[in-house]
Amino acid sequence: MVICGTCAVEYDEPTPEVCPICADERQWVPADGQHWTSLAELAAAGQHLTWTETEPGLVSVTTDPSVGIGQTAQLVTTPQGSLLWDPTGYLDEATVTRVRERGPVLAVAASHPHMFGVQVEWARALDAPVLVNEADAQWLGRTDERIEFWSGRHAITHALALHQVGGHFAGSAVALWSDGADGRGVLLTGDSVFPNPDRTSIGFLRSYPNKIPLSGAVVERVTSTLEALTFDRLIGNFDNRIDTDARAVLRRSADRHIAWVRGDHDHLT
């Protein structure tokens, strides 16, 4: 198994000449070409993971220094078991032990292919299935018996479920944790719905590094789908957050995005 140095997604050997995920218009290949690494190489270089409990039942796990895109994984723990969401591109025994100490892991899942990380390695270490949206199966770099496909909605526990929203990728998904935020609901998102640095608005892009927006029609569809869910807090794939009133922020941001791409605004007039 090797890991793309740019996006940190795992691949079976023999590896492709170029990582297909990075060659796509939503990502990028370095100017000096493809780079590959491995868990052993990262460990030898002193790679490690950070662990931060952000609220009861929720832990943020991040690579330090950053590996690949550098997403923050979210570990959601319920009375029935845990979900590891948007797994990082590196893992170590110490963190695996801490995860397992919180009880059984019910699933490893990613919001979209950029966040696959070393999901199979995580699943093997945690004795859990990998949940992959069927619409994004073509982007898998590894095959494994632990991979299970889903579409539409997939319940993990009565208070924790995956929802397919599309947008950034056809299979882009969110995880709704109904018991989070003191019962007000936490929505874990990826790049289809991205909390901005101002913490009061949300972005909607097909590509973040290459600045390709989603269309107004797609943003409206994604937003309408999410408005059917109950949540107050929204957490992105870099632990970027809208801490409260996130459903209202979502609608306000969607309306703003749709107006701009429709051409309602022009600073020259």
Side-chain angles (χ1 to χ4, degrees):
M1 186 271 288
V2 297
I3 303 167
C4 174
T6 306
C7 70
V9 170
E10 61 189 353
Y11 283 88
D12 289 322
E13 298 185 70
T15 56
E17 183 176 344
V18 177
C19 168
I21 289 176
C22 290
D24 178 73
E25 69 177 2
R26 285 161 284 200
Q27 246 298 98
W28 54 279
V29 177
D32 60 349
Q34 179 68 45
H35 296 267
W36 298 104
T37 187
S38 67
L39 291 175
E41 288 181 3
L42 291 169
Q47 188 67 51
H48 67 282
L49 295 169
T50 65
W51 176 282
T52 306
E53 299 198 30
T54 56
E55 66 179 85
L58 188 64
V59 172
S60 296
V61 179
T62 310
T63 54
D64 186 14
S66 179
V67 174
I69 295 173
Q71 68 263 30
T72 298
Q74 302 290 342
L75 180 68
V76 184
T77 301
T78 75
Q80 294 76 36
S82 298
L83 165 69
L84 181 65
W85 175 253
D86 279 348
T88 56
Y90 177 76
L91 80 168
D92 56 33
E93 291 186 8
T95 306
V96 168
T97 297
R98 294 185 81 170
V99 172
R100 294 183 72 114
E101 285 174 347
R102 297 174 77 90
V105 177
L106 304 177
V108 175
S111 58
H112 63 286
H114 291 152
M115 303 291 106
F116 281 168
V118 291
Q119 59 183 1
V120 170
E121 289 298 306
W122 275 109
R124 289 178 175 178
L126 298 172
D127 191 25
V130 181
L131 301 180
V132 176
N133 191 275
E134 192 170 13
D136 289 338
Q138 71 188 82
W139 298 105
L140 283 167
R142 296 185 73 182
T143 56
D144 193 86
E145 62 184 8
R146 292 186 178 274
I147 293 174
E148 299 179 5
F149 295 107
W150 67 282
S151 62
R153 179 183 183 275
H154 182 89
I156 298 173
T157 73
H158 75 280
L160 184 59
L162 308 184
H163 297 262
Q164 182 180 359
V165 298
H168 187 61
F169 276 80
S172 284
V174 299
L176 177 63
W177 178 32
S178 300
D179 289 343
D182 296 321
R184 302 188 308 276
V186 171
L187 193 71
L188 304 177
T189 72
D191 288 354
S192 287
V193 177
F194 189 89
N196 288 325
D198 64 10
R199 302 175 303 285
T200 62
S201 69
I202 289 168
F204 311 88
L205 297 183
R206 174 170 172 81
S207 170
Y208 286 83
N210 300 320
K211 305 300 184 289
I212 306 172
L214 291 175
S215 72
V218 169
V219 170
E220 178 58 42
R221 178 179 55 75
V222 169
T223 299
S224 296
T225 298
L226 293 177
E227 284 180 323
L229 307 179
T230 300
F231 59 92
D232 186 57
R233 180 170 297 152
L234 193 150
I235 303 176
N237 45 346
F238 298 93
D239 213 29
N240 42 329
R241 295 163 171 259
I242 307 293
D243 275 326
T244 190
D245 207 22
R247 288 179 83 256
V249 172
L250 173 68
R251 171 45 65 186
R252 185 169 64 247
S253 299
D255 289 345
R256 179 181 71 173
H257 178 101
I258 292 166
W260 273 100
V261 299
R262 187 171 54 212
D264 290 4
H265 308 292
D266 187 341
H267 283 164
L268 294 179
T269 60

